[in-house]
Amino acid sequence: MKNKILKMITILLVVSTLMINCKKNDTNNDNNKITSIITSFYPMYIMTLNVTKDINDVKVSNMTKPQIGCLHDYQLTPEDVVCLEKAQYFVINGGGMETFVNKIVKQMPNIKIIEASKGIELIKGYGDEGDNPHLWVSVSTAIKQVRNIEEQLSSLDIKNRVAYKKNADEYINKLEKLKTKMHQVLDPVKNKNIVTFHEAFPYFAKEFDLNIVDVIEREPGSEPSAKEISDIIASVKKLNVKALFAEPQYPAKAAEIIAKETGIKVYILDPGVSGDMELDSYINTMENNLITLQEALK
């Protein structure tokens, strides 16, 4: 009996701690004027942070740690649930990325889902994988996602809609300049055959007319077989591939094997699923990617 009581006390203490940590919407009065927004993962956090910049009565927090990366098979934790219960709005990428979202809608009918991929045409994934959800990796689709977040927030939080629109316009203007710069550098490149690490770059490749000859790991953590590596090596040699691209979030062992057999270099291309929690983090990541591509495809 004593053990049961101690166990119950421990559970209550843990839940209380989580609730304190996630209490992002506290105010100094009883009117609860703070608007609490939770984002599903890093790219959505950076977009939402820009849309809500300098709005004092809006607080944005990210549900997952930046190191987690994409949320393909992510399972909600008790801490996630407690944090979500404290929020009015939940910003998601959509497109099949957050497979747990139906569970949230069912368990928390009061939370409003803001889907950044709403109305954007999706690229079909490889085989039976369904649609590819990595929209934000393309600057053009990232711009559409920012506008989606702004418009959906504005329709729900009317008192801040003017500020949302102003912030979104400013951020989109920055992204448009980035997009123009990247096209100026990449459009003249003649040989655009590349091999990427996993299925994060189809939208990016479509925007800049890159030809993804092959993908080393369709899903992170699913190491390619000896035959798959052999086939990639054959494609690299046959099509005069200019570069192999690994990602900073994952080991590059398979890419290094292919590089050794083909004599081409492994470069790091960042899909923007982790990084600094700063307003310009996405832009900085893409600027670095541009430098990398310029070097790899020269």
Side-chain angles (χ1 to χ4, degrees):
M1 183 68 180
K2 184 178 180 181
N3 289 337
K4 287 184 178 180
I5 292 172
L6 288 172
K7 185 177 180 181
M8 183 61 70
I9 291 171
T10 302
I11 291 171
L12 288 171
L13 286 172
V14 170
V15 171
S16 298
T17 301
L18 292 176
M19 292 180 73
I20 290 169
N21 289 339
C22 292
K23 201 169 184 181
K24 305 295 183 181
N25 57 341
D26 284 347
T27 60
N28 293 325
N29 55 52
D30 296 328
N31 294 327
N32 197 25
K33 292 183 178 180
I34 295 295
T35 298
S36 177
I37 304 173
I38 301 290
T39 58
S40 59
F41 72 131
Y42 181 76
M44 298 303 101
Y45 176 77
I46 298 301
M47 291 180 186
T48 306
L49 203 63
N50 277 277
V51 172
T52 61
K53 182 185 68 171
D54 297 331
I55 305 178
N56 293 330
D57 62 350
V58 175
K59 299 297 180 184
V60 181
S61 55
N62 195 42
M63 186 184 77
T64 54
K65 296 177 181 177
Q67 297 81 3
I68 287 175
C70 292
L71 302 181
H72 298 292
D73 301 311
Y74 185 77
Q75 299 294 319
L76 289 174
T77 67
E79 183 176 4
D80 296 336
V81 173
V82 172
C83 288
L84 286 166
E85 286 176 343
K86 292 291 180 181
Q88 285 85 56
Y89 309 121
F90 185 37
V91 179
I92 66 170
N93 178 75
M97 176 62 73
E98 296 92 348
T99 56
F100 51 79
V101 73
N102 289 336
K103 183 177 180 181
I104 291 172
V105 171
K106 186 176 180 180
Q107 293 184 352
M108 306 172 196
N110 292 328
I111 195 169
K112 303 298 183 184
I113 305 295
I114 293 170
E115 186 174 1
S117 63
K118 185 177 180 181
I120 301 175
E121 184 178 356
L122 301 176
I123 294 175
K124 181 72 176 68
Y126 177 79
D128 59 356
E129 291 176 359
D131 294 324
N132 190 306
H134 300 86
L135 292 154
W136 69 91
V137 186
S138 159
V139 181
S140 291
T141 45
I143 289 170
K144 293 178 182 178
Q145 289 190 291
V146 171
R147 185 61 75 193
N148 267 338
I149 293 169
E150 175 259 309
E151 289 179 348
Q152 291 174 59
L153 272 177
S154 294
S155 69
L156 294 167
D157 184 18
I158 295 174
K159 71 179 185 298
N160 286 314
R161 63 183 176 183
V162 173
Y164 290 143
K165 176 73 161 55
K166 176 178 177 290
N167 287 339
D169 288 348
E170 288 177 359
Y171 188 47
I172 286 172
N173 183 52
K174 288 183 178 181
L175 294 175
E176 289 286 2
K177 289 179 180 178
L178 170 68
K179 174 182 169 182
T180 298
K181 178 180 178 180
M182 294 183 77
H183 274 288
Q184 288 172 344
V185 172
L186 296 176
D187 286 354
V189 173
K190 302 236 183 306
N191 185 348
K192 297 184 177 183
N193 292 337
I194 64 172
V195 172
T196 60
F197 176 77
H198 85 282
E199 295 280 11
F201 289 96
Y203 293 96
F204 186 92
K206 181 180 180 181
E207 174 162 9
F208 297 108
D209 199 27
L210 300 173
N211 179 29
I212 300 178
V213 170
D214 219 325
V215 176
I216 297 172
E217 294 184 15
R218 295 288 172 184
E219 284 293 330
S222 58
E223 291 189 9
S225 66
K227 184 182 184 307
E228 287 171 332
I229 290 178
S230 177
D231 289 344
I232 294 172
I233 290 170
S235 294
V236 166
K237 291 179 177 179
K238 180 180 178 181
L239 298 172
N240 187 28
V241 171
K242 294 289 290 182
L244 299 174
F245 292 102
E247 298 172 24
Q249 295 84 12
Y250 306 103
K253 181 179 177 181
E256 289 166 357
I257 292 172
I258 296 166
K260 185 177 179 180
E261 293 296 323
T262 59
I264 62 175
K265 188 175 177 180
V266 177
Y267 295 87
I268 300 297
L269 204 59
D270 194 339
V273 294
S274 63
D276 296 331
M277 309 295 267
E278 305 294 336
L279 290 169
D280 287 334
S281 293
Y282 175 82
I283 291 173
N284 294 337
T285 293
M286 288 300 158
E287 291 270 13
N288 289 333
N289 282 341
L290 180 59
I291 293 170
T292 298
L293 286 162
Q294 193 171 14
E295 170 65 22
L297 301 177
K298 66 182 179 181

